[in-house]
Amino acid sequence: MTLIASLNLAKESDATRLIEAIGEDEALGYPSAATTEQADQSWTVDVYFEEQPDEPALARVVAAMLGPDAGRFVVSELADEDWVAKSLEGLKPVRAGRFLVHGSHDRDKVQPGDIAIEIEAGEAFGTGHHGTTAGCLEEIDRLGKLHDYKSILDLGTGTGVLAIAIAKAWEKPVLATDIDPIATRVTAENAALNGVGDKIDAATAEGFGNPVMAARAPFDLVVANILAGPLIALAPEIVQHLAPQATVVLSGLLVAQGPAVTAAYEAEGLKLTRQGEQEGWLTLTLER
Ligand SMILES: C[S@@+](CC[C@H](N)C(=O)[O-])C[C@H]1O[C@@H](n2cnc3c(N)ncnc32)[C@H](O)[C@@H]1O
């Protein structure tokens, strides 16, 4: 269940300052947040949580940034169909590196030289339209020219889009895992649809909580497009499952969350080698 905490503000600058402060807040678990302009030119700040948020902590951040009279967040449940509607936003094909992510209605848009990935907007996250997915796809395309990875994990696979990109571009096997069994079912279906069903093993697991992880480790490439809070919590386990020379690509974090996520992985001995930004979202590449 996803919960959404919303607060309406008059000024865009206040909304921007507030989401930066919230995204960096440890007590709140570095949640994801977004601002949206309303028809009356006010700005709504929406913050997403997987569990009941710490409302006094939210109120403390609002008061610290904007003063005691700025208002308070109202928490509600985000209906599942909102997520489906969100992924349906992107009906146009998306280019990232050599990849073209498209729906079945856009097969004719595939050009010679494209690595086409067919994904229907549906029950799982990852149609290529989000800045985090596109950032990871570009980085996968770049890294493939520099490395010959052998053991690859896509952690938080969603629709399987990143695993399919790797399997198609490099003809390599990929372990694709997700906390959500719907995502792993959709990944297996999408892998078959894209002709790489034999290369992708889809498994349901929270973090590394499935024996298949230990069986396939150590990994020399881990891509994880999750969210800042879980990425920080998973840092020790991800690094523990890496080969001596390995690359980790992380996304799902806002620009303001970059330093906290980087610090969590540097504390485990990795080095930040690259960072890219798309629509306010960061993709970090770390190596050991
Ligand atoms: C933002 S989506 C990314 C989907 C896809 N990889 C992409 O790049 O578009 C994040 C996915 O991570 C999954 N997830 C969240 N926390 C997780 C965890 N601790 N372990 C595994 N998967 C997780 C969610 O269910 C969701 O499908």
Side-chain angles (χ1 to χ4, degrees):
M1 176 183 60
T2 300
L3 294 160
I4 182 168
S6 303
L7 171 64
N8 198 257
L9 295 168
K11 288 202 274 179
E12 181 182 9
S13 56
D14 285 350
T16 307
R17 282 171 57 217
L18 187 59
I19 61 162
E20 284 186 3
I22 286 173
E24 288 170 341
D25 196 273
E26 191 178 355
L28 290 171
Y30 308 102
S32 257
T35 58
T36 318
E37 187 173 13
Q38 303 300 320
D40 64 359
Q41 294 180 334
S42 66
W43 288 80
T44 300
V45 174
D46 290 319
V47 192
Y48 299 94
F49 295 94
E50 294 306 318
E51 290 167 4
Q52 191 61 39
D54 179 345
E55 293 189 48
L58 268 174
R60 173 181 51 68
V61 180
V62 175
M65 295 307 295
L66 307 176
D69 304 322
R72 68 176 192 91
F73 276 99
V74 175
V75 179
S76 58
E77 218 174 285
L78 188 63
D80 285 345
E81 52 277 17
D82 283 0
W83 288 109
V84 174
K86 223 169 160 26
S87 54
L88 282 169
E89 269 169 18
L91 291 173
K92 293 200 188 93
V94 172
R95 270 184 196 287
R98 284 174 301 158
F99 299 110
L100 183 80
V101 188
H102 66 90
S104 55
H105 55 285
D106 274 322
R107 283 184 193 150
D108 61 330
K109 304 284 186 324
V110 179
Q111 304 285 322
D114 285 348
I115 302 173
I117 304 172
E118 186 169 316
I119 304 276
E120 289 306 329
E123 295 164 289
F125 182 106
T127 53
H129 294 84
H130 200 266
T132 60
T133 312
C136 288
L137 287 171
E138 284 184 0
E139 190 55 359
I140 287 166
D141 193 22
R142 191 187 73 85
L143 287 168
K145 295 171 189 144
L146 305 174
H147 299 271
D148 181 22
Y149 297 113
K150 301 264 179 313
S151 181
I152 303 164
L153 171 66
D154 174 14
L155 183 65
T157 193
T159 55
V161 58
L162 304 180
I164 293 167
I166 291 168
K168 284 195 94 164
W170 309 344
E171 298 185 11
K172 295 278 173 63
V174 184
L175 176 61
T177 65
D178 203 288
I179 205 167
D180 177 358
I182 295 175
T184 41
R185 175 182 51 78
V186 168
T187 292
E189 290 168 3
N190 283 334
L193 174 71
N194 283 274
V196 287
D198 58 335
K199 296 207 164 45
I200 295 178
D201 275 338
T204 304
E206 176 166 2
F208 288 77
N210 182 319
V212 73
M213 292 290 202
R216 295 280 289 259
F219 301 103
D220 54 9
L221 175 64
V222 176
V223 293
N225 175 10
I226 310 187
L227 287 173
L231 286 175
I232 290 171
L234 284 164
E237 269 191 305
I238 289 184
V239 175
Q240 202 184 315
H241 289 81
L242 292 179
Q245 296 214 319
T247 308
V248 176
V249 177
L250 303 176
S251 198
L253 52 141
L254 297 163
V255 172
Q257 297 168 331
V261 176
T262 303
Y265 286 77
E266 285 180 342
E268 300 296 330
L270 301 196
K271 255 193 154 156
L272 180 70
T273 52
R274 198 178 164 90
Q275 73 177 47
E277 187 193 327
Q278 290 224 16
E279 299 160 15
W281 296 90
L282 277 187
T283 300
L284 306 178
T285 304
L286 297 115
E287 316 237 5
R288 116 155 156 190

